[in-house]
Amino acid sequence: MILLVNPRATRPSNRRFPLSVMAVGAALPPHVNWEIVDGNLPGTDVLAELAHHIEAGERRGDPVALVAFSVMPGPQLVNAVPLSRELKSRFPRIPIAWGGNFPSLYPAPVLNATHVDWAIRGQGEDTMVELLDVINGTRDPASVNGLCFRDADGTHWIGAERHWKGPDELPAPPYHKIHVADYLRPTFLGRRSGVYQSSIGCPYGCKFCGVISVFGSREKMQAPERTARHLTYLVREHGMDSVHFYDNNFFVKEEHARELAGRILPLRLNWWCEARVDALMRFSDDTWRLLKRAGLTMVFCGAESGSDDVLKKMNKGTTTEQILGVGKRAREHGVIPEFSFVFGDPDDPEREIDNTLAFIRTLKHVNPAMELITYFYTPTPQRRGTYGNVDAVSATPDTLDEWITPEWVAWMTHEDPLVPWLDERLKAKVTDFELVLKSRFPSVQDAKTAEWGKLLGRFLARRRWSNGDFADPRMLRLIRRIAHRTPEDSQAYGHLRAARRGT
Ligand code: B12
Ligand code: SF4
């Protein structure tokens, strides 16, 4: 038996289908028994569940041969480390593997941890199947692409990169292995929102982006018919009414977008997806209308910067004119655009911040419904030296214990990039601006702030927004804090975070 663990990555109320471990499990050979243990489900004691499965497997004569964790940088890592360490100390003979974005990007600290036996880089389906042969003693681990391990003398073996497959070559999501209804949660899109990923990778090469560090600059899209078939199942059998598409880049070709929209239109879903502004600007008005009719409610676009020079430096391949163009067209077609920006240009951070904040104000005039997401540029070792001279950035940690300190958690979540050119004053410029904007125009996705807080914030932020006065909005911060609805279950990693000025 194989146990697939999704360590807690979010609050239970925000849980989503654990797609990563579902995908890996679906590809296991039919004779292999497997179960998912999902730390995002309310009240789950992951360690107790694992122990229960391990003991039950022993009794049935189907002992657990491997416990495999999915680990994303950030809070999921914070939860994975003690879990995996404790599991190893209680069941030292059971091999532990880690897959997902964290070991794909940072295999060395994973292999430095003696409680992890195998690290898997990149797409996991085929590597896991081959790893089972290794564990059964029928295959040399060095022959498995994507597999990393410690040699007998402790040196690290980093397996060659695995060529990854497109979604059409992989099994369908195994919905029968989870309680689907437990994962259909209310969001701004609907009362029973689900998630789905229909493509893998992204064909572009933005220099700051972690997606291409894992998948290279390639994207494989699933046939629209297959996507529609899976969504139809979720709608008809489980009453899903809306969906977040997790694709890094949902629209590549207009024809593909049109076919997909036509196929899912009868499902009457509301949906959110990520797209590039250049692709959206290429679409005809007729395509925009079709997307809207098919349920496109919000489209997330990586706008990144309000300066064309910086967009060029990032190798983004888009322009500020296209960003404004999408703002305008989205308004015309009744779709909410969600623009994300990356602050902290290594060469001239202050000028870039001022310029981009001014651009966001213009964008908000063009489309008042526009939503804002902010990030700080966090150069990863894989992308070092590609965008700005970032060689001064400190090296990433060698141990998992250091990775889960508050500083590195804030680094992984792009909250504090730990770069010398972005001091507290500059960061505050961004967070203060964001607070004024989000008080003046509360996000349709903000379920955390009580209604009275939103109303009061709107009123008090009015003058600041129209005067362009964003400096130290103490009153707005206080309102946000008091009006913050207490989560039903605060994040386990919360205490590890360094204090910071909130937005
Ligand atoms: C869902 C999701 C989340 C969920 C968590 C999901 C969970 N695990 O419970 C939430 C919303 C909580 C989340 C949060 C964050 N996320 Co996130 N997230 C995603 C998203 C949209 C989809 C991932 C997914 O399910 N894909 C579908 C599955 C099938 O694919 P997959 O995960 O890639 O899995 C494959 C391989 O990675 C591998 N694999 C994965 N797990 C395992 C396990 C084993 C054992 C094996 C063998 C293989 C394996 O095999 C799988 C099948 O091929 C991706 C974007 C994307 N489309 O990839 C971003 C993404 C992974 N997230 C990202 C980031 C940065 C974050 C945050 C840090 C953001 C923030 N500022 O706070 C936070 C913090 C994470 C945390 N809380 O720990 C980045 C990672 C960048 C990077 N390379 O480091 C991504 C790529 C988004 C982006 N474009 O920047 N995230
Ligand atoms: S378009 Fe988005 S996902 Fe693709 S490389 Fe650029 S930032 Fe990454």
Side-chain angles (χ1 to χ4, degrees):
M1 177 179 212
I2 308 296
L3 297 176
L4 299 175
V5 189
N6 188 37
R8 185 169 168 177
T10 185
R11 274 199 286 275
S13 55
N14 293 339
R15 62 189 176 272
R16 304 282 179 260
F17 296 142
L19 295 179
S20 321
V21 284
M22 285 168 69
V24 171
L28 292 173
H31 65 272
V32 174
N33 230 332
W34 59 278
E35 291 299 335
I36 290 173
V37 177
D38 185 359
N40 287 336
L41 285 175
T44 304
D45 178 340
V46 174
L47 207 56
E49 272 199 34
L50 290 174
H52 166 79
H53 281 300
I54 290 169
E55 282 148 18
E58 289 292 342
R59 283 197 299 276
R60 275 199 319 271
D62 180 15
V64 170
L66 178 71
V67 180
F69 287 70
S70 181
V71 188
M72 189 181 284
Q76 192 165 45
L77 174 71
V78 176
N79 290 318
V81 173
L83 267 180
S84 146
R85 179 180 286 133
E86 182 60 23
L87 190 71
K88 194 52 147 185
S89 79
R90 281 174 67 176
F91 304 99
R93 276 197 305 278
I94 301 182
I96 294 181
W98 277 28
N101 269 269
F102 186 81
S104 298
L105 292 170
Y106 310 105
V110 178
L111 295 177
N112 283 338
T114 50
H115 52 90
V116 185
D117 302 285
W118 307 99
I120 291 149
R121 288 195 304 145
Q123 193 170 62
E125 286 89 337
D126 290 346
T127 312
M128 265 290 278
V129 174
E130 293 175 20
L131 173 59
L132 295 190
D133 295 338
V134 172
I135 289 172
N136 290 337
T138 58
R139 186 164 183 153
D140 173 8
S143 72
V144 179
N145 290 348
L147 189 63
C148 312
F149 52 92
R150 283 180 300 278
D151 265 330
D153 64 358
T155 54
H156 294 181
W157 174 273
I158 307 292
E161 210 149 293
R162 178 173 285 281
H163 291 294
W164 51 275
K165 292 177 173 169
D168 287 325
E169 301 164 78
L170 296 169
Y175 294 113
H176 62 286
K177 296 295 281 195
I178 57 167
H179 292 287
V180 171
D182 279 353
Y183 291 94
L184 296 176
R185 306 283 308 153
T187 67
F188 78 102
L189 288 173
R191 290 190 3 207
R192 293 173 68 79
S193 264
V195 296
Y196 190 82
Q197 184 166 314
S198 69
S199 64
I200 301 173
C202 173
Y204 294 93
C206 307
K207 288 184 171 173
F208 57 85
C209 177
V211 172
I212 51 175
S213 303
V214 177
F215 289 105
S217 288
R218 280 196 308 148
E219 179 166 6
K220 291 193 179 178
M221 321 265 309
Q222 180 166 270
E225 180 279 321
R226 194 178 194 237
T227 305
R229 187 158 23 98
H230 296 166
L231 296 179
T232 303
Y233 165 80
L234 290 168
V235 172
R236 302 269 149 82
E237 301 299 319
H238 298 284
M240 184 174 79
D241 64 6
S242 46
V243 60
H244 277 80
F245 286 107
Y246 273 173
D247 306 51
N248 292 300
N249 186 35
F250 195 59
F251 300 131
V252 177
K253 296 203 174 88
E254 188 165 3
E255 267 324 294
H256 184 102
R258 288 186 66 87
E259 183 184 345
L260 183 60
R263 286 181 184 273
I264 66 175
L265 193 145
L267 300 178
R268 304 167 70 87
L269 288 164
N270 291 331
W271 45 279
W272 174 102
C273 69
E274 295 190 21
R276 283 174 57 98
V277 289
D278 49 356
L280 288 170
M281 285 308 284
R282 279 197 300 270
F283 286 5
S284 66
D285 278 328
D286 192 47
T287 298
W288 272 87
R289 276 191 293 272
L290 176 61
L291 294 173
K292 173 69 187 168
R293 273 197 297 130
L296 175 60
T297 306
M298 186 182 282
V299 62
F300 173 106
C301 300
E304 325 302 5
S305 170
S307 143
D308 286 307
D309 289 348
V310 173
L311 288 172
K312 267 203 196 86
K313 268 201 288 184
M314 291 173 168
N315 195 30
K316 185 73 198 178
T318 55
T319 62
T320 50
E321 195 186 328
Q322 288 166 335
I323 300 168
L324 293 169
V326 166
K328 183 166 171 290
R329 292 187 81 187
R331 184 177 186 172
E332 285 160 9
H333 293 281
V335 173
I336 303 171
E338 186 176 36
F339 290 111
S340 86
F341 289 85
V342 178
F343 291 90
D345 176 51
D347 300 324
D348 196 348
E350 182 143 25
R351 196 173 68 98
E352 164 59 6
I353 285 173
D354 290 341
N355 191 40
T356 295
L357 296 182
F359 179 74
I360 295 170
R361 275 170 70 78
T362 309
L363 196 51
K364 197 75 190 164
H365 281 297
V366 170
N367 189 331
M370 161 241 163
E371 300 253 327
L372 172 69
I373 305 281
T374 60
Y375 283 115
F376 290 116
Y377 173 45
T378 309
T380 60
Q382 293 78 13
R383 314 231 59 80
R384 187 163 291 160
T386 58
Y387 165 39
N389 176 21
V390 295
D391 294 336
V393 177
S394 58
T396 51
D398 290 331
T399 66
L400 294 182
D401 285 325
E402 200 186 336
W403 268 110
I404 61 174
T405 57
E407 290 72 23
W408 285 102
V409 173
W411 184 86
M412 286 182 272
T413 51
H414 304 270
E415 284 168 20
D416 187 351
L418 306 176
V419 291
W421 61 86
L422 204 62
D423 59 23
E424 285 305 318
R425 184 185 62 85
L426 287 184
K427 279 193 279 178
K429 265 195 172 187
V430 177
T431 53
D432 288 350
F433 173 91
E434 189 178 1
L435 176 58
V436 174
L437 182 146
K438 287 187 174 168
S439 299
R440 176 69 190 93
F441 308 98
S443 163
V444 294
Q445 300 171 84
D446 180 4
K448 285 192 270 184
T449 311
E451 288 310 313
W452 68 263
K454 287 186 194 166
L455 270 173
L456 193 57
R458 272 188 86 106
F459 176 73
L460 291 176
R462 209 187 178 92
R463 182 170 304 163
R464 273 185 176 268
W465 178 259
S466 55
N467 292 348
D469 171 15
F470 307 108
D472 197 12
R474 284 176 199 195
M475 184 57 82
L476 296 178
R477 204 175 294 128
L478 182 70
I479 292 167
R480 279 273 151 148
R481 203 159 39 228
I482 301 173
H484 187 82
R485 292 197 179 105
T486 318
E488 89 287 8
D489 179 8
S490 61
Q491 298 236 27
Y493 64 83
H495 67 286
L496 282 168
R497 293 201 167 199
R500 70 184 193 108
R501 297 155 70 95
T503 51

